[in-house]
Amino acid sequence: FLLERAPDALKADAKLMIEVARRDPGSLQFASRELFSDRQFLLQAVDLGISSALAYAPETLRGDPAFVLEAVQCGGQAIRYASEDLRGDYRVMKRVAAINPDLLKYASQELLASRVFVLEVVRNNGLSLQYADEALRDDDEVATAAVRQSGRALRFASPRLRGDAAFAYLALSVDQAALAYASEGLRGDRHFMLQALRAGGPRA
């Protein structure tokens, strides 16, 4: 926080602010408003692991798909600071999910309740089911697509599906480790356990 009382000229020096941020990321908040409108400065900050720099960026940048996607590719959680519109944008969040599926936790609730969107992302990464709306985690087609891609997605299916023997067998055929996520009732059923041992697929 040495820069808090520094001259404005120093706070507007991009090279200096990046060097300071390498040592003290918290100091970046004192950068000039002009720097927070500089695309390259912000991307450098994100590349250093300071995704929160985007929180100070103007709405025009936080709502710019090309800029936000470039920031996401630099790493960190840049999408967290994108505009609400972008976090609800089908195409943008589909690309974000392809870069890092865990960033779906920052997608809008409306998008995570979209059956079409969720079905597409779980086909690419079954574990993305964890971010889906509760109703979709109980949707047979959506949950089936998820466990076909990753048996361990059974963990994020609804209680009804985790207690469905046929559905659990499907997950097990993909990854035997999915057994840990079957319902307690199934795991306590001797017949189910015998069948599960026979049906178990490879351990992913």
Side-chain angles (χ1 to χ4, degrees), residues 1-4 17 20-31 36 49-50 52-53 56:
F1 298 100
L2 294 175
L3 287 174
E4 185 173 5
M17 290 304 303
V20 170
R22 290 181 193 277
R23 297 165 174 76
D24 179 15
S27 295
L28 202 65
Q29 65 182 296
F30 301 115
F36 284 123
I50 313 172
S52 58
Y56 302 102

Side-chain angles (χ1 to χ4, degrees), residues 126-132 134 136-138 143 152-159 162 181:
L127 298 181
S128 296
L129 185 65
Q130 65 187 291
Y131 303 114
E134 185 177 353
L136 293 178
R137 288 187 279 118
D138 188 51
R152 299 185 197 207
L154 178 63
R155 176 181 182 182
F156 306 111
S158 68
R162 286 189 290 109
Y181 307 118

Side-chain angles (χ1 to χ4, degrees), residues 36 38-55 57-58 61-83 86 92 95-96 99-100 103 106:
F36 284 123
D38 185 312
R39 300 169 75 101
Q40 288 308 121
F41 173 77
L42 288 169
L43 291 174
Q44 282 184 282
V46 173
D47 198 42
L48 286 176
I50 313 172
S51 299
S52 58
L54 297 190
L61 281 180
R62 292 189 294 111
D64 182 327
F67 170 72
V68 169
L69 286 170
E70 189 173 357
V72 170
Q73 289 175 327
C74 287
Q77 302 181 355
I79 192 65
R80 177 180 182 181
Y81 304 99
S83 69
L86 281 193
V92 169
R95 291 184 62 184
V96 167
I99 296 168
N100 182 351
L103 295 180
Y106 298 119

Side-chain angles (χ1 to χ4, degrees), residues 128-175:
S128 296
L129 185 65
Q130 65 187 291
Y131 303 114
D133 182 81
E134 185 177 353
L136 293 178
R137 288 187 279 118
D138 188 51
D139 182 293
D140 288 6
E141 184 180 3
V142 170
T144 295
V147 299
R148 284 188 187 281
Q149 200 286 321
S150 171
R152 299 185 197 207
L154 178 63
R155 176 181 182 182
F156 306 111
S158 68
R160 175 183 72 84
L161 289 172
R162 286 189 290 109
D164 183 294
F167 186 75
Y169 288 144
L170 174 61
L172 282 163
S173 71
V174 176
D175 183 351

